[in-house]
Every structure is written in C-alpha cells, then in structure tokens.
C-alpha cells in the first residue's frame, strides 16, 4: 500500500512568485492535514480536510495560502505571492474516519516539501 | 495555546536505554502520539497513549500520566538506526483532530 506522497520534494523560488504543493493521501483516507515546520521550530498545524470540505483552517497564516481538495482525493496548497518567512518544510498527513470504538486517528505523514523562498 | 516540551538532544551508547520525556499543557487532551523522524524523511508513527499507563511495543515503550501532563518514550537495546528525531504530539480534543507537536528530541546513538 502506497503511503502519503508529496510533490515536489524541494522547491526554490523567489519572493513574490507562486508555488503549488501537492499531496496524495493514502487511498481511502478521508482526513487530510497540512502542517508546516519552519527552521528551528516545531511542526505546526495549518489545515484539515474531511473529504473535500475544510473542517479546520485555523492554522492558515494568512490569505496568501490557499488549500484545495477537489473531489476529496489529492490536495494542493498554493502560496501566492511567496514571502521569505514562508520558507520551511510543508508536511501532509492523512488518516481514516473513525469506524469503531478505540479509534486512535493515527496520522500518516509524507516526507514533506522543503520550500525555500529567496 | 498549547505548550509541549521535550529535551532538544540526547546521546546514548549502542545497546543502552534512553528515556525521552515530554510534558504538556494543552487546552484539552484526547491522546498523545510519539513519532520517529529520520532526517529528510516522513515522521513515522511509533505509539499512542490515551489512558494512563505503559504501552509496550517491542523495543519501544510509551508511558502516560494525564494528571501530571507527562509522557515518556523508552527506547531499549539501542541500535545505530535509532538515531533520529523523536516527536511528541498531543491531540487536544475528541472532535479536534489536529496535532500539537513538541520541537522534537534528537537522539544520537554512539558505538
């Protein structure tokens, strides 16, 4: 079974440009999450999808970030225009919906996209 | 806000035992997770605790005390491949799926 895959693995762009990150969750996982880790800091939550709906976007830093999950499968995270402080590693994770007692909602992570804004 | 603390670095010898502590102060609690992350790779799930006590899984064990806001991850019979970053994460609420992470503990295993 394929894990969570993210593309690209690394992106280098100039300030003011646009970048789109893609995440393919584990097949059958309705929950999809975006997280970000900036240099020297902890991983922080950005956004949570349930299927194609945004369940929680409380972590999105500002309106330069736009996440979509059309059709409830893969997701994209677009940064437009990119600023220097957007540099970091962007992680995607997915998990199943609860189906039984004792569900633990294990989130499975991708390897991340390292974004460098120059 | 959420506050999750864990040591920055730990060093141990191959074959030894290392205990990584994690303390948390969060708005709510519905589970604590430990992940292992090798450099440049995905964080991988190690353990989950939601009730007080010890969960054992092979060479790895995790303990939780909800009243103390405290957990630890115990790594036994250390191997060189255990050199990695270990992340403590808390899920704050039952209908709140997002994880709050500590900054991670880098464990270096020496021969």
């Amino acid at each position: 079974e394929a894990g969570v895959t993210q593309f690209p693995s690394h992106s280098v762009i100039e300030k003011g440009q646009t970048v789109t990150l893609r995440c393919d969750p584990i097949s059958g996982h309705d929950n999809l999450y975006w997280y970000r880790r900036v240099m020297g800091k902890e991983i922080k939550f950005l956004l949570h999808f349930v299927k194609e709906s945004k369940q929680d976007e409380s972590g999105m830093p500002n309106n330069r970030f736009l996440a979509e999950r059309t059709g409830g499968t893969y997701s994209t995270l677009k940064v437009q225009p990119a600023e220097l402080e957007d540099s970091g590693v962007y992680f995607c994770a997915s998990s199943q919906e609860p189906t039984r007692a004792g569900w633990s909602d294990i989130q499975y992570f991708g390897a991340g996209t390292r974004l460098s804004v120059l | 806000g959420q506050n999750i603390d864990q040591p920055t670095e730990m060093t141990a010898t191959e074959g030894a035992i290392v205990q990584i502590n994690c303390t948390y102060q969060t708005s709510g609690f519905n589970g604590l997770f430990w992940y292992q992350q090798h450099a440049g790779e995905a964080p991988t799930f190690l353990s989950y605790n939601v009730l007080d006590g010890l969960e054992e899984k092979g060479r790895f064990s995790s303990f939780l005390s909800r009243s103390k806001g405290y957990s630890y991850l115990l790594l036994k019979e250390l191997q060189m491949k255990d050199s990695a970053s270990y992340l403590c994460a808390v899920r704050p609420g039952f209908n709140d799926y997002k994880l709050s992470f500590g900054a991670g503990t880098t464990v270096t295993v020496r021969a």
Side-chain angles (χ1 to χ4, degrees):
Chain A
E1 180 181 307
V4 177
T5 56
Q6 294 187 242
F7 182 82
S9 57
H10 195 178
S11 180
V12 181
I13 61 172
E14 293 188 352
K15 176 183 172 181
Q17 290 185 321
T18 298
V19 63
T20 300
L21 314 179
R22 172 169 172 146
C23 168
D24 286 75
I26 292 171
S27 178
H29 281 193
D30 288 336
N31 292 295
L32 187 149
Y33 314 82
W34 283 98
Y35 292 86
R36 177 175 72 171
R37 185 171 199 167
V38 297
M39 184 70 74
K41 300 283 189 178
E42 69 276 17
I43 296 173
K44 285 193 172 179
F45 168 81
L46 295 178
L47 173 108
H48 170 209
F49 283 101
V50 177
K51 297 184 180 177
E52 68 276 9
S53 299
K54 292 176 184 174
Q55 179 77 10
D56 181 354
E57 49 185 328
S58 61
M60 295 287 266
N62 52 61
N63 59 10
R64 296 185 293 103
F65 289 75
L66 176 63
E68 294 180 324
R69 193 183 182 195
T70 306
T73 53
Y74 71 91
S75 175
T76 58
L77 179 65
K78 181 161 69 174
V79 185
Q80 178 183 31
E83 297 290 344
L84 299 179
E85 64 265 24
D86 301 332
S87 296
V89 181
Y90 290 76
F91 292 101
C92 176
S94 71
S95 70
Q96 292 178 315
E97 272 296 286
T99 57
R100 54 182 165 81
W103 163 76
S104 62
D105 180 38
I106 298 170
Q107 295 184 22
Y108 297 90
F109 282 77
T113 294
R114 181 173 296 277
L115 175 63
S116 300
V117 183
L118 307 179
Chain B
Q2 321 296 353
N3 190 32
I4 300 168
D5 290 318
Q6 49 183 130
T8 304
E9 295 180 333
M10 302 184 75
T11 301
T13 306
E14 195 173 17
I17 298 172
V18 71
Q19 178 175 314
I20 307 169
N21 296 323
C22 172
T23 58
Y24 62 90
Q25 291 176 306
T26 55
S27 56
F29 181 84
N30 193 36
L32 186 143
F33 299 78
W34 284 97
Y35 284 84
Q36 179 191 60
Q37 186 182 20
H38 287 98
E41 298 182 7
T44 56
F45 170 77
L46 288 179
S47 69
Y48 167 73
N49 295 73
V50 68
L51 299 176
D52 291 352
L54 187 69
E55 294 283 340
E56 296 187 86
K57 191 185 295 184
R59 295 189 299 111
F60 295 76
S61 303
S62 57
F63 172 83
L64 175 68
S65 169
R66 289 171 295 172
S67 62
K68 295 182 180 178
Y70 168 69
S71 172
Y72 67 73
L73 179 69
L74 195 69
L75 285 63
K76 295 178 277 189
E77 301 169 16
L78 279 172
Q79 302 175 10
M80 300 299 287
K81 66 179 182 180
D82 297 330
S83 293
S85 178
Y86 292 84
L87 306 170
C88 174
V90 172
R91 188 171 71 213
F94 183 76
N95 289 318
D96 187 352
Y97 293 15
K98 61 181 174 284
L99 296 178
S100 295
F101 282 86
T105 300
T106 299
V107 172
T108 302
V109 181
R110 293 181 173 169

